[in-house]
Amino acid sequence: MSNTTQGIRGSPVAAENVVFKTTPESATDPSRRGVLTGALALAVAPGVFLIGGRAVAKPNDQPVSESVRWGLLVDASRCAEGCSDCVDACREEHGWGGAGGKPTDPQWIRKVSLKDRTRTVSLPVMCQHCESPPCVDVCPTGASFRRADGIVLVDRHICIGCRYCMMACPYNARSFVHEDIEGQKPHMPRGKGCVESCTLCAHRVDRDQQPACVERCAHEALVFGNLNDPESVIAQRLAGQTSTRIRPDLKTNPGVYYQGL
Amino acid sequence: MSMHTTITYREIDGRSPGYFALLLGIGAFLALGLGAAYYMEHHGHHVTGMSNQIVWGVPHVFAVFLIIAASGALNVASIASVFERTLYKPLTRMSGLVALASLAGGLMVLVLDLGRPDRLIVAMTTYNFRSIFAWNVFLYTGLFVIIAFYLWSMMAQRQGARFYKSAALTAFLWRLALTTGTGSIFGFLVAREAYNSAVMAPLFIAMSFVFGKAIFMLILISTCHLTDRPLGRIVLTRLQRLMGIVLVATFYFVLLQHLTNLYMAERQPVEMFLLFGGNVYSFLFWVVQITLGTVLPLVLLLSPRLGGNVSAIVLASVLMIVGGLAQVYVIIIGGQAFPLALFPGFEVSSLAFDGQVGVYTPTLPEVLLGMGGVAMMLGVVVVAMAALRFLPISLADADVDPDHVHDMIDQEDEAVEEADAQLVPTRT
């Protein structure tokens, strides 16, 4: 292992072993949060958390906080049909392979075409980072969990590959790794026999970067930000225009919003 | 009613060539199942028919079938010890054994189909108590311990007898909880329209009676046949009727399950898909589950002329098992095959199969793993019966009912039937 970073207590640790290392308590348990975010935060360079004079992420020695709820806005009216830049960016960032088209291929984010009598819309669908995620409820070991800042993740250390979360997810957002994988990224440990899905690029978010899909989108169809901050672009956009979420009737309160549907 | 005769139990002969041949056959299937599991784990689940759309396949069909059958197989013991029907007393040990074995087979398949079966210890030590799956881990392992204790209380007569009643009651309540929990694995899935319903719990309880009793009957009849133990008409007819009753009960819950779904406009598409889609699921439902697995066995079980007819009971049991597997297949795989409704009102398409019916073709390793679970069950039964005394030397009428109480009841029933028949005016 050549990729090392500072561990929770300051000693060098292999990055794979830190990124999603958690304790199995409930998702919002402070100690778990501490371990997690410490791990996530330590993988990144410190001191970049101030943008425009306002703290966005958090210092490395602090856990993620409930005061932040990360969210994503998809503007379907800007999303171009036939464009798959967001999907490609995600695939490159996280190293999930497969050219697509095989039902066993992982698919963290996918472009979906919607057609009704009057029009066709194209938009990406990924993990919706619910406030009440069914995948977290059903996971027998607690491997599916929700960070305090709203990001839903899978702890690959305790996922037993039962796939019950995939049965429970209303958005078909999760993938099971069906075969051996190569070319893994140091920040994104993956493994055959475990379930995975969009992490909202937690590793990037924790160092004040945008998720890879948002950064790549040339059509400005994706807006990422803190839903709890009324000054944030995403909150402003949501305040100014009507939006919807996928299957709002299920009351999962997703962190991903859609406009232009 | 007095029935004070002591029942004599005896092991089956574990040294005969026939026994070894049987053991060898079962062992071969078990080895194939374990080999298939190794192959699946080594290469990953892409060698199965499962995918990101159909995440649970044939192994889950076998696992769920065997696990709930375990609960149903214990029913005979419950009737004897909780509801004090002395006629079933000689069958309690066998009932407990089949339950234990079936549970072992089902759990084996369930665990070996995990993406990471090597992490079983994680599943056993790390819990999220909001998950019904986590509760089921307790329910399954708990039932193991409880049945083992129950069997001990039956078989260690001097020390065990005083725990017999309480063990029986605990096992009875526990297995109801277990089948409720297993049904709720599906019942709690909010987004899957085929599943999300409270009826799944009682449906699974009723199904467990059907599957468990069918397996129990086949094992009972074949063991008596192979070891030359008399099996009288009284025991046979009673169990035969009981099987008919549980099959009717299951059919009632099946009706409830589908009619309630058909009544809800939003669920009509998934129901139409499952019942009238002209696909493998509608075929399995109408032809295998309903016609072969319900109607035909009901005729074989409840027709007065076939009372006590061994061939009819064996055929009915086989049909109930085949129909039951089809039923679980339709529930588990049919329910996943129907696409999730993400954007109601839109025609949906994507490279990731949105809006499409999930395609699933089981592969050989999956089927072998499932059969391995059945082999595990049979193996436990066959080995345990040779090692310990599970089955009485005779279940002949004179031995199970020395005072001819049930004979008399049967004769009265027949007399009433004949009288009724004579009362019906014949039209020429």
Side-chain angles (χ1 to χ4, degrees):
Chain A
M1 247 320 299
S2 58
N3 286 290
T4 55
T5 182
Q6 275 207 316
I8 291 151
R9 298 186 203 288
S11 53
V13 185
E16 261 100 324
N17 294 334
V18 228
V19 175
F20 291 125
K21 182 86 178 154
T22 66
T23 49
E25 289 91 321
S26 80
T28 47
D29 182 281
S31 63
R32 171 181 193 146
R33 217 184 294 148
V35 175
L36 240 186
T37 45
L40 282 158
L42 283 165
V44 305
V48 288
F49 57 91
L50 287 175
I51 286 179
R54 216 156 36 80
V56 177
K58 77 279 168 288
N60 288 341
D61 57 352
Q62 284 175 23
V64 288
S65 143
E66 275 173 21
S67 62
V68 177
R69 168 101 200 261
W70 295 122
L72 196 62
L73 170 64
V74 178
D75 188 343
S77 62
R78 290 170 185 244
C79 184
E81 204 177 350
C83 169
S84 62
D85 285 353
C86 53
V87 179
D88 298 337
C90 180
R91 189 181 284 146
E92 285 159 27
E93 179 70 26
H94 298 285
W96 51 269
K102 232 170 58 178
T104 49
D105 283 342
Q107 199 79 44
W108 291 21
I109 174 172
R110 60 194 196 267
K111 281 296 295 289
V112 176
S113 292
L114 310 180
K115 222 190 276 182
D116 67 3
R117 272 181 300 180
T118 51
R119 65 204 170 119
T120 303
V121 205
S122 178
L123 44 80
V125 174
M126 68 298 285
C127 171
Q128 302 290 298
H129 299 282
C130 310
E131 190 185 357
S132 309
C135 57
V136 171
D137 285 345
V138 303
C139 177
T141 64
S144 279
F145 68 100
R146 183 179 174 273
R147 285 194 348 174
D149 59 4
I151 300 180
V152 174
L153 297 170
V154 180
D155 180 346
R156 259 43 96 65
H157 294 277
I158 53 172
C159 173
I160 56 171
C162 73
R163 316 185 295 282
Y164 194 22
C165 57
M166 298 174 74
M167 292 288 276
C169 175
Y171 311 103
N172 204 11
R174 291 199 155 189
S175 301
F176 179 68
V177 182
H178 283 78
E179 45 197 315
D180 281 318
I181 44 180
E182 289 166 356
Q184 295 197 50
K185 307 285 179 183
H187 59 264
M188 185 44 59
R190 305 171 57 225
K192 182 177 71 183
C194 286
V195 173
E196 52 185 30
S197 60
C198 158
T199 64
L200 212 55
C201 283
H203 65 293
R204 292 171 61 95
V205 170
D206 285 342
R207 58 182 179 217
D208 264 342
Q209 292 177 323
Q210 303 264 313
C213 55
V214 178
E215 197 175 81
R216 180 75 64 90
C217 181
H219 303 95
E220 296 180 343
L222 295 169
V223 181
F224 171 81
N226 179 7
L227 297 168
N228 286 348
D229 176 4
E231 306 293 313
S232 68
V233 179
I234 188 168
Q236 303 260 325
R237 286 276 294 273
L238 288 171
Q241 262 176 298
T242 48
S243 61
T244 183
R245 288 178 285 181
I246 308 181
R247 293 298 304 269
D249 56 313
L250 296 174
K251 305 276 189 252
T252 56
N253 190 10
V256 180
Y257 288 76
Y258 289 84
Q259 285 182 340
L261 258 184
Chain B
M1 188 163 72
S2 68
M3 267 180 65
H4 298 298
T5 43
T6 46
I7 309 155
T8 314
Y9 295 89
R10 186 164 298 158
E11 301 91 339
I12 60 171
D13 181 7
R15 280 161 300 180
S16 69
Y19 180 81
F20 277 111
L22 183 63
L23 218 51
L24 212 63
I26 292 171
F29 267 100
L30 186 59
L32 280 173
L34 294 175
Y38 176 75
Y39 177 74
M40 280 164 57
E41 302 310 326
H42 184 72
H43 291 275
H45 271 62
H46 81 110
V47 298
T48 70
M50 290 176 250
S51 64
N52 287 324
Q53 281 68 49
I54 311 284
V55 302
W56 287 352
V58 158
H60 271 80
V61 173
F62 276 91
V64 167
F65 181 91
L66 288 170
I67 287 169
I68 63 173
S71 162
L74 201 57
N75 203 32
V76 174
S78 295
I79 293 171
S81 22
V82 179
F83 301 103
E84 301 194 341
R85 304 295 292 266
T86 42
L87 189 71
Y88 297 99
K89 190 86 192 292
L91 300 171
T92 46
R93 294 179 179 187
M94 182 81 175
S95 168
L97 174 62
V98 174
L100 201 69
S102 190
L103 190 60
L107 289 182
M108 182 191 103
V109 179
L110 195 68
V111 167
L112 291 179
D113 183 54
L114 290 176
R116 296 294 303 263
D118 54 311
R119 288 183 179 167
L120 180 60
I121 192 71
V122 175
M124 306 286 285
T125 51
T126 315
Y127 294 106
N128 163 30
F129 286 108
R130 282 182 68 89
S131 168
I132 187 72
F133 225 71
W135 284 97
N136 280 342
V137 174
F138 280 102
L139 290 168
Y140 299 158
T141 47
L143 190 66
F144 250 121
V145 176
I146 290 167
I147 298 178
F149 182 71
Y150 185 21
L151 280 171
W152 174 79
S153 77
M154 293 173 201
M155 298 172 80
Q157 278 169 351
R158 201 169 292 168
Q159 307 98 310
R162 61 199 174 107
F163 300 109
Y164 175 65
K165 276 277 172 197
S166 45
L169 186 63
T170 312
F172 174 67
L173 296 175
W174 196 275
R175 70 192 181 80
L176 289 183
L178 179 139
T179 12
T180 301
T182 311
S184 300
I185 286 177
F186 300 95
F188 287 1
L189 292 172
V190 287
R192 304 261 179 188
E193 288 163 352
Y195 301 138
N196 179 20
S197 162
V199 80
M200 296 310 270
L203 172 68
F204 270 54
I205 292 179
M207 281 156 65
S208 80
F209 291 163
V210 172
F211 307 165
K213 215 149 269 138
I215 291 176
F216 177 80
M217 279 309 269
L218 286 181
I219 292 179
L220 177 69
I221 290 173
S222 46
T223 312
C224 286
H225 180 72
L226 291 170
T227 61
D228 291 325
R229 293 172 204 225
L231 180 55
R233 193 170 183 276
I234 293 178
V235 168
L236 277 176
T237 45
R238 290 298 182 289
L239 288 172
Q240 187 181 12
R241 264 185 236 162
L242 203 58
M243 285 166 79
I245 291 165
V246 295
L247 199 52
V248 170
T250 302
F251 183 62
Y252 165 74
F253 282 112
V254 168
L255 273 180
L256 208 58
Q257 173 201 7
H258 290 292
L259 287 177
T260 46
N261 270 359
L262 278 170
Y263 196 79
M264 296 178 228
E266 60 164 353
R267 295 195 177 192
Q268 278 168 8
V270 67
E271 278 301 316
M272 297 307 278
F273 168 78
L274 291 173
L275 302 185
F276 309 107
N279 49 41
V280 63
Y281 310 108
S282 47
F283 171 81
L284 286 174
F285 179 80
W286 291 110
V287 178
V288 187
Q289 180 188 335
I290 297 298
T291 309
L292 295 177
T294 306
V295 177
L296 206 52
L298 278 179
V299 173
L300 293 166
L301 296 170
L302 298 179
S303 154
R305 260 191 231 165
L306 294 171
N309 184 317
V310 178
S311 307
I313 298 172
V314 168
L315 183 58
S317 302
V318 170
L319 288 171
M320 283 156 77
I321 289 173
V322 172
L325 283 168
Q327 181 176 17
V328 181
Y329 193 99
V330 173
I331 291 176
I332 294 185
I333 296 165
Q336 295 173 80
F338 191 74
L340 287 169
L342 263 63
F343 300 95
F346 283 101
E347 200 180 300
V348 183
S349 63
S350 80
L351 279 178
F353 308 96
D354 284 272
Q356 291 178 34
V357 170
V359 178
Y360 175 75
T361 314
T363 61
L364 186 64
E366 292 172 79
V367 179
L368 288 178
L369 175 57
M371 298 297 289
V374 177
M376 178 72 171
M377 173 193 72
L378 294 174
V380 170
V381 169
V382 167
V383 169
M385 281 204 299
L388 294 167
R389 294 167 184 173
F390 279 101
L391 198 62
I393 49 171
S394 169
L395 289 164
D397 292 354
D399 292 309
V400 293
D401 185 22
D403 300 333
H404 305 284
V405 177
H406 293 92
D407 266 357
M408 288 188 300
I409 296 173
D410 282 349
Q411 278 162 13
E412 278 170 24
D413 283 355
E414 278 163 29
V416 169
E417 274 167 26
E418 274 168 35
D420 284 349
Q422 280 165 7
L423 281 175
V424 178
T426 45
R427 286 179 195 163
T428 44

